[in-house]
Amino acid sequence: AKVATDKKEIAALIRDHNLPRECIPTQWLNEPSVWEALLEKMPMTAMVRNLAKMTAVGVIAPMSQGTGKVLAELANVERIRKSRLHPMALLIALRTYASGHGDKGKLAWTPVPQVIDALNGAFYAAFANVEPTGKRWLLGIDVSGSMSSAMIGGTNLSACEAATAMAMVTAHVEPQYHFHAFADTFRPLPISKGMRLDDALRHTKNQNFGGTDCSLPMRYALEKKIPIDIFLVATDNETWAGGIHPCQALREYREKTGIVAKLIVCGMTSTGFTIADPEDAGSLDVVGFDAATPGVMAEFVR
């Protein structure tokens, strides 16, 4: 591939030796015929990652053979299951593809509506890829005004959308969960297993009220005597505002309930924040968010 001088030769090498995109010299990656060859046996994860580029070079276009191939793959539930793609990876891909431009660089494309619809369907199909932890979860989702405007670095996804989608995934896979919205007060969040993302966002988006007190989930669970194994706080960059620090609220919950609960604080945009006690093995700070984040958090929970 390094010494090939013709795009037909590159395409033949791809087909004969199953070469992935990473083996193809950069100068050939604007050739539609090269991408057509790559697409024939492209793994699901690689396909989702390269949808924008394949659209930009014209392989994915209205009524094209490449579009037909992509639509068939994204509709194949068994292929999605075998890919082990997390729903959040597909949601990030969906928002990026629908935007028509990358977060960085100059790449731009005209999205094909059918591909957007197929990514949306694949997002829901991928819920089956998530293994339940069997733990008792309380998700506190920050719904202060900044959550709807804060964009997660490297994506076209707002912090509010990501947090809401995480709640939906939890509702689909975990048998025991409790959701609440918070800013400087705490209130029930009616997200359920049968809800679609657009419906769930009506309860979390632009609910502008107050600052952000990340101790509220632990204080609420203690007050209501709710047994919780995992507290997950999803916020953007404001970490706490209140009379008690989240670390202290967690310690108090553990002491009074006897439950060795864990705390995950997912700060989806970074302003140098920290909440978790670095001496506490049951606390985790997550700064930023990408497709790998849910897996990291699940391993911490287990």
Side-chain angles (χ1 to χ4, degrees):
K2 286 183 178 179
V3 299
T5 58
D6 183 83
K7 61 185 179 182
K8 292 182 179 178
E9 186 179 355
I10 286 286
L13 288 169
I14 292 168
R15 291 187 171 99
D16 292 345
H17 302 285
N18 295 327
L19 296 185
R21 173 231 175 275
E22 289 77 11
C23 289
I24 308 306
T26 305
Q27 67 266 29
W28 302 113
L29 291 178
N30 286 319
E31 295 291 344
S33 60
V34 170
W35 282 102
E36 287 168 359
L38 287 168
L39 181 58
E40 289 177 9
K41 295 183 180 179
M42 190 178 288
M44 176 70 74
T45 302
M47 187 192 76
V48 169
R49 189 169 59 241
N50 287 292
L51 288 172
K53 181 64 176 181
M54 290 190 289
T55 303
V57 300
V59 172
I60 298 175
M63 311 297 177
S64 73
Q65 185 175 348
T67 298
K69 167 72 171 174
V70 167
L71 296 181
E73 291 290 293
L74 290 174
N76 189 326
V77 175
E78 182 63 17
R79 286 272 283 136
I80 291 173
R81 185 190 66 80
K82 287 182 177 179
S83 75
R84 303 182 66 84
L85 274 169
H86 194 279
M88 293 305 301
L90 286 157
L91 181 61
I92 291 171
L94 167 60
R95 290 290 187 261
T96 299
Y97 185 76
S99 73
H101 59 86
D103 180 62
K104 297 178 180 178
K106 299 179 180 179
L107 187 66
W109 59 92
T110 301
V112 176
Q114 291 88 340
V115 174
I116 296 173
D117 291 340
L119 283 168
N120 189 57
F123 165 68
Y124 294 103
F127 285 165
N129 291 351
V130 183
E131 295 182 11
T133 64
K135 303 295 186 181
R136 297 168 294 191
W137 288 74
L138 190 151
L139 268 69
I141 297 180
D142 178 1
V143 292
S144 57
S146 58
M147 283 286 283
S148 297
S149 58
M151 301 302 291
I152 297 170
T155 77
N156 294 85
L157 200 63
S158 72
C160 178
E161 288 175 309
T164 306
M166 281 200 301
M168 287 185 57
V169 172
T170 302
H172 272 79
V173 303
E174 297 292 350
Q176 300 182 85
Y177 61 87
H178 201 59
F179 299 143
H180 267 70
F182 76 94
D184 52 2
T185 59
F186 212 50
R187 67 184 184 197
L189 191 59
I191 295 177
S192 62
K193 184 174 182 178
M195 195 173 283
R196 307 289 284 186
L197 180 57
D198 288 345
D199 294 329
L201 282 168
R202 293 191 183 100
H203 299 289
T204 60
K205 197 171 186 179
N206 294 321
Q207 299 289 329
N208 302 291
F209 65 102
T212 305
D213 184 353
C214 289
S215 71
L216 284 171
M218 286 73 76
R219 289 162 52 200
Y220 175 85
L222 183 58
E223 178 188 346
K224 301 298 182 182
K225 296 180 171 61
I226 303 173
I228 299 296
D229 298 310
I230 308 297
F231 291 98
L232 173 57
V233 177
T235 182
D236 53 347
N237 58 359
E238 299 297 332
T239 57
W240 75 289
I244 180 172
H245 194 280
C247 288
Q248 185 180 345
L250 179 64
R251 284 195 297 269
E252 187 176 344
Y253 180 84
R254 289 169 175 168
E255 290 167 0
K256 293 186 177 180
T257 64
I259 300 172
V260 188
K262 290 185 176 183
L263 169 65
I264 303 172
V265 181
C266 190
M268 295 179 172
T269 62
S270 173
T271 55
F273 93 105
T274 181
I275 289 180
D277 180 355
E279 300 299 321
D280 180 4
S283 295
L284 177 68
D285 272 336
V286 179
V287 185
F289 193 90
D290 65 12
T293 304
V296 172
M297 294 192 295
E299 289 303 311
F300 171 73
V301 167
R302 291 189 181 96

